[in-house]
Amino acid sequence: MSRLEGRKNEQLRTTHIKYEGLDRVDGSARFGFGETESLASVSGPIEVRPNSESPSQATLEVHIRPLAAIAGTDSKALSATLKSILIPALLLSQHPRTLVQIVGQALCGSESGAGYGSAGRGWHASLVASLINACSAALVNASSVPMKGVVCAVAIGRLRDPSSSLSSPTLVLDPSEAELSRLVGGGCFAFMFSSTLSKPLQSDADVPSSSLLWTNYTAMGGAFGDAEFEEARQLAENGATLVWQSFKDSLQNGQVSRPATELKKKALDEEPVDDEKMEI
Amino acid sequence: MAAASASAPSTSTANTTEKETLKALTFQRLHPRAYLERFLAEQVRSDGREPGEWRDVSVNVGSISTADGSALVRLGNTTVVCGVKAEIAEPELDKPEEGFLVPNLDLPAICSPKFKPGPPSEEAQVLSDRLNEILLSSGVISTSSLCIEAGKAVWVLYVDATCINYDGNALDATLIAMVSALQNTRLPKATYNEETGRTTCTRKAMIPLQINRLPLATSFGVFDSAKILADPTAFEEPLLDTTFTVVLDERGELISVAQLGLGVVGSHNILTNCVSAARTRCSQLRSHVYKTL
């Protein structure tokens, strides 16, 4: 066990979900793995500009903003990825000729998101995972766009053993900002949880079945084998299930570790609807 | 239509074949999905390939004399030209010994009606970002080898690729073009003068870059949750539910695995299949793509 905070390799940091109740949007949520936090808002279905109107389905727009500076190519690329991740989870054909707009804002870190590109320190996998989760939570919170499932994401890091550089790296779930410098690659895994997917044989009755939706698993300056990838995928799937459960908890009792505020109550009222949506 | 005019024995048959082709083209345009489904039912793709078959690759290195290194790659009908331009710059303060590698892919309106003139399209930005990620993470060139004088001067390599004909799978083609162009790059020997604070280059000694690894990307698409199509064309790309990209190095080891789209039932078998197909493809391709090794 060589992690900085004394976490186990397959342990997530404390996750927190807070329904912000931003006034001018239809739904919003803040999601954090420890200090890696993101805020997302959803508006829609709203009026669409004529040039992006589609006669068969709603247009999805995703904007991602870094903590500092203006959105660069890296944010644009991330927006496009997030869009393709969220599309399979949404039933956009239900509202043709409309627009669903999602804005994600990174809320963390001095090193986060300032023009380093996704390969650099900027959009590290944990931050991307928190953005994906914030977007999903905001969509559930808005509950104005019909959903097929909920997308939950976690990051996997390849942690190099400082004592011997030759041994294969250890896989850790949800690397923290402090661990980033010690990583030799890794990636983000996004899963869709939905009961419309076929169930595996030995499944937990409580958790709907999940399927891998996106990954960008990469080794930095090294290589990995099929077995390692499979291990990473498995580790990520377990982690994503934990995220899904914390989603469900946040909707069922609304009382996430923090004291409930006025705005929180609002989110509480919508709860039964949201919960149903998740069970679809 | 070209085939019809070449082998037309009489005008009437020429007309019928022409009409048939036109009918097929209309059908393709109006019902692309059904068009592809009918082909795949016969285990063949609309360009005559089998589902798992790849397109031919040809690489032409050093064709642009004004660039420091260049390559032209054709993957089927997809054509990408890539040039490397070297400049001298000051390094970042926190990384005094590291040079810069700046890859960029341009998808101009000339390469396909899909792209409009104007600022870089979303697709171009996504591809550029992924190429940057692959080049950096695989360590094709270590940025520290681009150092001229620590803290004072380093090389910046602009790796600019332009697509001249877009027929799908631009990522694979561009990665080959970029790596080949880097292989082809020769930098003048540069020395930093402490007193004047300037860097001087001599054209007499041209040094090749130190290439550490040769990544190859292989992309697959999944159509209709079941059929794996290797190396998808521009016609097939928008119809795919899921795409996989497997990046391998010269020893056939995995550098990166990317999946976008819902992994269907037994998806992980699909992924394993893709990885082994990628290995076979890379071992065939490597010898003639990166032949200067």
Side-chain angles (χ1 to χ4, degrees), chain A residues 111-122:
Chain A
E111 287 188 336
S112 297
Y116 286 104
S118 52
R121 291 168 290 174

Side-chain angles (χ1 to χ4, degrees), chain A residues 130-208:
Chain A
S130 81
L131 268 169
I132 296 172
N133 292 335
C135 290
S136 299
L139 278 165
V140 170
N141 181 237
S143 60
S144 52
V145 186
M147 292 169 82
K148 210 185 286 175
V150 176
V151 184
C152 297
V154 284
I156 297 289
R158 304 171 83 232
L159 200 61
R160 171 168 284 162
D161 191 355
S163 54
S164 67
S165 56
L166 288 173
S167 63
S168 61
T170 325
L171 296 183
V172 294
L173 188 62
D174 184 26
S176 65
E177 311 258 321
E179 283 171 318
L180 288 180
S181 56
R182 295 169 61 208
L183 295 183
V184 281
C188 185
F189 288 80
F191 292 85
M192 183 165 106
F193 288 79
S194 168
S195 25
T196 57
L197 300 165
S198 60
K199 279 233 180 229
L201 289 173
Q202 72 300 354
S203 67
D204 201 337
D206 207 29
V207 181

